[in-house]
Amino acid sequence: MKVLIVGSGAREHTLAWKISLSKRISGLFIAPGNAGTQELGENLSDVNQCDPESVTRAAIEHKVTHAVIGPESALAAGVVDALREAGIAAIGPDKRAARLESSKQFSKDFMQRHGIPTAAAVEIDSVEQLKQEVESRNGRWVLKKSGLAAGKGVLESDDRQELIDFGTEILKDDSLILEEFLTGYEISIFALLDGKNYRLLPSCADFKKAGLGDTGPNTGGMGSICPVPTISNGILAKIEKEIVVPTIEGLKKDDIYYTGVLYFGLMMTEEGPKVLEYNVRFGDPEAQVLLPLIQSDLGNLIDSMCSGKLDEFPLRICERSALGVVIASPGYPGEYPLSIPVESLPKRPEREALLFHAATSSDGDGRILTGGGRCFTVVGFGSNLLSARVKAYSAAPEVRFEGAWFRPDIGKKFFIDGE
Ligand code: AMP
Ligand code: GLY
């Protein structure tokens, strides 16, 4: 297999690392990749990951047999459609199926049509309707931009003027949904789909807020854990029955052919699990904790997904726990500088901790430079979450660059008595 990974984040570095361990591969390319993936395969840094033609041209040139698409923007742009047309097997949904993430109105309609538990919502297309809907309600509500927004298109508020201002801005070039505010805790569930069969992976949780104790502004995700200690096999079975199976049957009923990763962003409420959103790919930073816990050869797994044989695949999951801490640039999730030189990076035995880069590059003198808001994920491993946390937090301070910061409380809310 010659594998191409599309993307440049820590999720794609994790995919590249896991695939680099496969006995099946004879070539590994990452487009565009980062300074971390460069150590594992060949970075195709000239490729524009959101341009289907650019990705496909590079894949043909390098005789790629299988492609794995990381980011939603590439999937929504139709990268999978173009690769398949060129005869290259691709892990990820086509553009039509990617609407489950790229249009919140589409996914809300889908959930309502197929009776999948989710927050009650109305679709909003004009400022007049926005004012009417917001002013007729009390309490806390959530407004969501319908299209892709990299985690920044959602406002939870009980201030009606704030909701109207936020919505008015978005309505300039997109539509909205206004939805009921759900309380509970959030988890991320991932299923692999091959067009006919599906397999569930262990539960994850992502820590989306920038501040201590889940406060402050939303980010792309400041840390993650896998598995989630509160999610028993019984709860997972309930999620499968009430959410995963109806979603997969809904896809079949609507004649949506789906291959790749389907991500269920769930709120665990007192009434049971409810879908906050679907994503059509691995989460970031969930992939960084989830993929290292898959024991099976990822090359074999990809092959079985591409040939519709997931049901026969002997999927093996490691019994350990993983906890990931994201190291961010100063100012993130607001404005932040780029190209900060990295002074030091941790090195640990792979059994204890791993380091994944996001959008880093190396300058001519062998120095690593940052290239985004979230720059690295440090992942610690242990026999449970507490020992994984010790490993992650012993390595995280060794990622040094000017203004580097991380949340010190990833996973904490799941520990007994908050400790
Ligand atoms: P989404 O992109 O739809 O997942 O929304 C981003 C984040 O906003 C979620 O991860 C939640 O933290 C929060 N959120 C979204 N919808 C709701 C809701 N209905 N109730 C409470 N929080 C929500
Ligand atoms: N972890 C959230 C996301 O990948 O969208």
Side-chain angles (χ1 to χ4, degrees):
M1 293 169 77
K2 285 196 173 183
V3 180
L4 169 69
I5 295 169
V6 175
S8 65
R11 166 182 52 206
E12 287 77 28
H13 186 183
T14 315
L15 280 163
W17 168 77
K18 186 69 193 162
I19 290 176
S20 74
L21 302 174
S22 167
K23 307 223 167 11
R24 298 287 308 279
I25 63 157
S26 52
L28 177 57
F29 304 92
I30 310 93
N34 60 41
T37 63
Q38 185 172 290
E39 308 290 316
L40 302 168
E42 185 181 339
N43 279 355
L44 308 177
S45 38
D46 293 338
V47 170
N48 173 356
Q49 65 180 33
C50 290
D51 176 356
E53 207 186 305
S54 168
V55 174
T56 308
R57 207 181 316 118
I60 294 170
E61 188 186 324
H62 293 91
K63 302 194 167 48
V64 164
T65 56
H66 296 75
V68 184
I69 321 302
E72 60 278 18
S73 50
L75 294 160
V79 164
V80 167
D81 310 52
L83 286 167
R84 287 198 185 130
E85 204 159 299
I88 297 163
I91 299 287
D94 62 15
K95 192 172 174 171
R96 182 167 168 262
R99 282 180 303 167
L100 276 180
E101 176 166 0
S102 63
S103 166
K104 286 204 191 284
Q105 286 201 345
F106 176 85
S107 66
K108 188 58 83 173
D109 288 345
F110 176 91
M111 289 182 243
Q112 288 170 343
R113 191 162 60 246
H114 298 293
I116 294 155
T118 184
V122 282
E123 297 180 1
I124 294 181
D125 297 303
S126 70
V127 176
E128 197 187 15
Q129 189 196 358
L130 170 70
K131 286 188 178 151
Q132 226 170 41
E133 293 288 357
V134 170
E135 278 162 6
S136 64
R137 290 173 157 79
N138 286 319
R140 203 163 177 77
W141 287 83
V142 186
L143 263 185
K144 298 185 177 183
K145 173 178 159 61
S146 184
L148 294 181
K152 304 225 170 102
V154 176
L155 176 74
E156 304 146 33
S157 179
D158 46 19
D159 179 334
R160 285 188 254 177
Q161 194 53 49
E162 190 185 21
L163 287 164
I164 290 171
D165 292 346
F166 178 82
T168 304
E169 201 49 41
I170 287 174
L171 283 169
K172 287 182 183 160
D173 57 12
D174 203 345
S175 53
L176 286 169
I177 58 174
L178 175 67
E179 85 178 21
E180 167 199 13
F181 180 80
L182 299 177
T183 48
Y185 66 94
E186 284 183 66
I187 62 164
S188 311
I189 296 292
F190 297 89
L192 304 176
L193 278 72
D194 68 4
K196 291 191 297 234
N197 312 289
Y198 74 92
R199 298 296 286 268
L200 275 190
L201 296 174
S203 57
C204 297
D206 166 21
F207 296 77
K208 287 200 169 85
K209 300 279 200 270
L212 269 180
D214 294 333
T215 55
N218 261 321
T219 70
M222 295 307 299
S224 48
I225 58 169
C226 180
V228 182
T230 49
I231 304 298
S232 63
N233 288 339
I235 297 178
L236 202 56
K238 183 175 162 75
I239 292 171
E240 183 168 9
K241 178 165 167 259
E242 293 178 9
I243 289 175
V244 178
V245 170
T247 299
I248 288 171
E249 310 235 296
L251 290 170
K252 285 186 187 146
K253 277 186 207 144
D254 289 355
D255 208 18
I256 298 173
Y257 176 75
Y258 196 107
T259 57
V261 181
L262 186 53
Y263 165 153
F264 301 80
L266 305 182
M267 184 71 88
M268 304 301 291
T269 73
E270 278 184 359
E271 292 165 23
K274 294 192 180 182
V275 180
L276 289 176
E277 62 168 348
Y278 292 118
N279 291 323
V280 295
R281 35 105 196 151
F282 280 118
D284 182 338
E286 291 96 323
Q288 293 90 303
V289 289
L290 179 58
L291 290 165
L293 297 181
I294 297 180
Q295 270 175 332
S296 311
D297 183 307
L298 206 62
N300 283 332
L301 182 55
I302 288 170
D303 195 13
S304 88
M305 285 173 78
C306 292
S307 48
K309 296 206 170 119
L310 252 187
D311 53 335
E312 294 168 15
F313 188 77
L315 184 63
R316 277 175 297 121
I317 304 291
C318 174
E319 287 293 329
R320 286 157 53 91
S321 293
L323 184 145
V325 179
V326 169
I327 319 293
S329 295
Y332 178 80
E335 298 274 306
Y336 50 82
L338 293 173
S339 303
I340 311 171
V342 177
E343 291 147 27
S344 80
L345 292 174
K347 254 212 161 319
R348 293 283 190 285
E350 287 206 346
R351 228 187 116 66
E352 292 184 9
L354 289 166
L355 173 78
F356 298 113
H357 292 228
T360 53
S361 59
S362 41
D363 68 6
D365 303 326
R367 268 191 324 180
I368 289 172
L369 306 176
T370 66
R374 295 188 298 159
C375 306
F376 297 92
T377 309
V378 175
V379 183
F381 301 95
S383 52
N384 57 38
L385 211 50
L386 287 167
S387 54
R389 176 172 71 154
V390 172
K391 295 288 187 286
Y393 279 111
S394 106
E398 292 173 25
V399 176
R400 289 203 194 97
F401 58 85
E402 180 133 22
W405 69 276
F406 55 84
R407 255 184 75 169
D409 63 337
I410 299 302
K412 193 170 171 183
K413 71 178 175 209
F414 290 101
F415 302 141
I416 297 162
D417 298 326
E419 189 27 62

